[in-house]
Amino acid sequence: MKAPLSVIVMTKNEEANLPDCLATLDFAAEIFVVDSASTDQTCAIAVAQGAKVIQFRWNQRWPKKKNWCLQNLPFSYPWVLFVDADERITPQLAQEIQQLLSTPPPYQAYVVRFDYVFLGKQLRFGDPVYKTILFQHELGQFEKLEDVGIPGTNEVEAHEQLVLANGTIGKLQGRIIHRDERALWFYFNRHNSYSSWDAYVRHHRLQTNDQIRADLFGSQPERRRFLKQLFLQLPLRPLVWFVYSYMFRLGFLDGGPGFHYNLCKALYHYQIDLKVYELEQRDPKGFDTLGK
């Protein structure tokens, strides 16, 4: 029996990653591939593997892609799982989700840990990444920030967190493997867009009515928001993050790939800080030239 679950895979030119991603989703009863005008074989691959292909056109207005999916897709089931094309559901996580949805779950959303593959090696140490990606779609939406129009980011949704109308968030033991089969160029290009987004959000202090509060003793997203705000107050943040992840979280045990991954993440934080500094040196409208 397949899990009574609707999976959402958001794509744009993902022919290198999509086949392996979809192969790990065969435990789910319904799969939507929400595509953004791919020019490669992404859609053909999705159809061949039994997914429902829906086209999304970014019109520089709200809602953005994730919330558009929640508002417009014809879900057959109350539970949804958001997966990117460069992510793989492990057999352990698939089995855990099947068992979870076989009876009414105790929580309304669930956090999953991600294991990253970098330079051909699956990283097992360093600062862990968690995301809330499994939830009841009628109860959830992603934060709305007034970030429309940032040059070079388009429909980018970098770090918006899930907001539940009501209910609580649990944690799953199974994991997702993040593995991008494309060249490192795509990794650095994505970080360039995300760092511009992060810099703009921080510089303009964008907030919304549904913003997740910062609470060290709250839910996982609330703890994450608290720790992020604390982290933003630290001097030499890129160096602090590198020492924390590479040394205290034992990232050095992942060898050369672990060193390069942690260095790239530290440089990502440096990019953000430098772009915030650039914004502070000019009128906010000057952001129109950032990254050009």
Side-chain angles (χ1 to χ4, degrees):
M1 293 291 293
K2 291 183 179 292
L5 172 71
S6 298
V7 180
I8 302 170
V9 184
M10 297 188 295
T11 61
K12 182 177 177 64
N13 294 330
E14 290 283 1
E15 65 180 7
N17 289 312
L18 190 59
D20 288 345
C21 173
L22 293 177
T24 69
L25 298 174
D26 59 359
F27 72 96
E30 183 172 59
I31 302 174
F32 292 99
V33 170
V34 183
D35 186 65
S36 297
S38 291
T39 56
D40 62 4
Q41 296 300 307
T42 293
C43 294
I45 291 170
V47 171
Q49 294 191 229
K52 303 176 182 178
V53 178
I54 306 292
Q55 284 297 328
F56 171 79
R57 295 288 188 270
W58 173 237
N59 59 8
Q60 300 296 323
R61 297 196 303 270
W62 292 100
K64 296 179 80 173
K65 197 170 185 178
K66 288 182 180 177
N67 283 327
W68 183 91
C69 290
L70 293 174
Q71 296 174 16
N72 292 278
L73 294 183
F75 297 117
S76 301
Y77 305 97
W79 283 83
V80 297
L81 175 69
F82 273 85
V83 179
D84 288 339
D86 56 6
E87 297 167 355
R88 320 283 185 259
I89 304 295
T90 60
Q92 294 79 9
L93 179 59
Q95 182 179 14
E96 187 177 9
I97 293 175
Q98 284 182 299
Q99 293 176 347
L100 178 73
L101 299 183
S102 64
T103 58
Y107 298 98
Q108 289 67 50
Y110 287 87
V111 170
V112 179
R113 176 171 169 170
F114 285 65
D115 286 341
Y116 280 70
V117 175
F118 194 74
L119 296 178
K121 180 181 177 65
Q122 183 171 328
L123 307 180
R124 301 187 180 279
F125 301 94
D127 187 30
V129 175
Y130 293 90
K131 297 180 185 179
T132 308
I133 58 173
L134 176 67
F135 58 95
Q136 295 183 43
H137 64 82
E138 291 185 351
L139 299 180
Q141 66 174 357
F142 291 90
E143 292 177 291
K144 176 184 176 182
L145 294 170
E146 298 297 335
D147 58 349
V148 174
I150 303 176
T153 60
N154 297 320
E155 63 189 47
V156 163
E157 294 175 287
H159 306 300
E160 295 95 332
Q161 297 296 306
L162 179 73
V163 179
L164 285 179
N166 58 70
T168 53
I169 300 175
K171 180 180 177 182
L172 298 178
Q173 297 303 310
R175 298 182 180 182
I176 286 182
I177 306 298
H178 183 284
R179 178 171 188 153
D180 196 336
E181 300 292 346
R182 300 171 300 180
L184 279 176
W185 182 91
F186 292 92
Y187 175 82
F188 289 118
N189 188 54
R190 181 170 65 246
H191 271 199
N192 190 38
S193 294
Y194 283 9
S195 61
S196 292
W197 183 90
D198 255 323
Y200 183 90
V201 169
R202 191 190 310 172
H203 178 67
H204 291 280
R205 297 180 176 84
L206 297 185
Q207 297 182 350
T208 61
N209 292 332
D210 59 7
Q211 185 182 37
I212 296 172
R213 65 192 180 101
D215 185 353
L216 180 60
F217 304 102
S219 64
Q220 191 276 341
E222 291 170 342
R223 292 195 300 273
R224 178 179 176 179
R225 185 58 50 85
F226 174 87
L227 293 173
K228 182 175 182 179
Q229 291 185 2
L230 181 64
F231 177 59
L232 292 176
Q233 306 304 314
L234 296 176
L236 302 175
R237 290 190 318 108
L239 179 59
V240 170
W241 188 92
F242 180 83
V243 171
Y244 168 74
S245 182
Y246 189 67
M247 300 301 295
F248 288 93
R249 299 293 305 205
L250 306 180
F252 63 89
L253 293 179
D254 286 317
F259 170 79
H260 294 299
Y261 174 80
N262 282 278
L263 180 60
C264 287
K265 288 293 292 288
L267 290 174
Y268 171 71
H269 291 298
Y270 178 71
Q271 277 186 290
I272 297 171
D273 289 349
L274 201 59
K275 289 180 179 181
V276 169
Y277 175 79
E278 181 184 20
L279 288 170
E280 291 172 347
Q281 302 307 303
R282 54 175 141 180
D283 185 272
K285 293 182 180 180
F287 190 87
D288 290 340
T289 63
L290 185 60
K292 292 186 177 180

